[in-house]
Amino acid sequence: QHQQQHQQVQQLIPENEVIISVSVHNFDKTVKKRQEFLFLGPQSLTELKDNISCVEDHIFCGPEMTSGYFFIEGVFYNDLRGENAVDYSKNILDVTEGANFLSKSMENTTFLDLSIVLGKEYIYCHQGNHEHVIIFTDVRFATRVDDREVNAYPKEIFRSRERLRKCSVCEIHSAKFV
């Protein structure tokens, strides 16, 4: 019974915890918002990457291609966790040798480590060349109305409805090519 009580104890966020709002958008003319999340300052960028939902992750090479990067204020934050991970920023860094771009690990970078401008558009690239716009919309301290449990974060607070096209041949399954 003591173990059950111990397991039920939830880890609570400290009163001065930083909460960051991040929105994810399609990278097209409309820059349509797809998702929005709340993250805690100490969470890593990989938690953002792992929570972004994109249909591109389910077609072509899909889940096998886990590489990706965020480009934020001149820094490429690369996800190289996978066994076959590819550093997509390497070619860009090679070509832009004179520029002051840096490359860092997404896994070892927390939101508190970032230098950002609220409302500015940043890039998330995955599946080789599929891009999204990432916007940091708010940074604040936790309040009484926020969920106090650490396990509640990241918290998705918005998701647009996805409209998948059906295959024009079978008219049953989702289209893989449009």
Side-chain angles (χ1 to χ4, degrees):
Q1 184 169 348
H2 176 69
Q3 284 181 334
Q4 287 176 339
Q5 287 175 344
H6 181 68
Q7 289 175 348
Q8 290 174 350
V9 174
Q10 298 294 328
Q11 186 178 358
L12 301 179
I13 63 173
E15 284 187 32
N16 62 347
E17 186 64 81
V18 173
I19 295 181
I20 298 104
S21 299
V22 184
S23 60
V24 180
H25 305 255
N26 281 345
F27 194 80
D28 58 17
K29 293 175 187 170
T30 63
V31 191
K32 180 184 173 195
K33 182 164 73 169
R34 308 259 318 146
Q35 291 176 280
E36 189 166 4
F37 300 96
L38 296 178
F39 288 90
L40 300 177
Q43 290 181 299
S44 72
L45 282 178
T46 54
E47 295 201 48
L48 171 56
K49 179 188 179 289
D50 293 346
N51 280 280
I52 294 174
S53 176
C54 179
V55 70
E56 291 291 320
D57 289 331
H58 305 289
I59 58 177
F60 301 118
C61 296
E64 293 88 47
M65 287 186 68
T66 60
S67 305
Y69 67 79
F70 291 105
F71 184 64
I72 300 170
E73 295 298 320
V75 180
F76 289 94
Y77 295 96
N78 293 290
D79 183 4
L80 301 174
R81 294 175 292 170
E83 186 177 305
N84 298 319
V86 176
D87 183 349
Y88 294 140
S89 71
K90 186 178 180 339
N91 289 340
I92 299 169
L93 291 168
D94 290 345
V95 171
T96 59
E97 210 174 295
N100 290 325
F101 296 139
L102 299 173
S103 178
K104 295 184 178 180
S105 164
M106 188 186 299
E107 184 177 13
N108 297 323
T109 303
T110 70
F111 288 96
L112 292 176
D113 297 330
L114 298 176
S115 181
I116 59 167
V117 176
L118 291 179
K120 185 173 179 179
E121 295 182 356
Y122 298 108
I123 301 296
Y124 166 56
C125 180
H126 66 120
Q127 295 297 325
N129 64 355
H130 189 74
E131 295 180 341
H132 296 270
V133 171
I134 304 297
I135 301 174
F136 296 89
T137 57
D138 191 28
V139 176
R140 61 183 173 77
F141 289 114
T143 65
R144 286 187 211 140
V145 298
D146 289 307
D147 201 325
R148 303 302 297 180
E149 294 181 17
V150 171
N151 292 340
Y153 298 90
K155 179 180 270 189
E156 186 175 45
I157 57 173
F158 173 82
R159 180 185 289 244
S160 68
R161 292 174 49 162
E162 289 187 41
R163 218 176 125 232
L164 298 177
R165 289 187 178 172
K166 287 186 179 177
C167 171
S168 60
V169 175
C170 71
E171 294 188 5
I172 297 171
H173 301 288
S174 298
K176 297 236 186 243
F177 301 95
V178 179

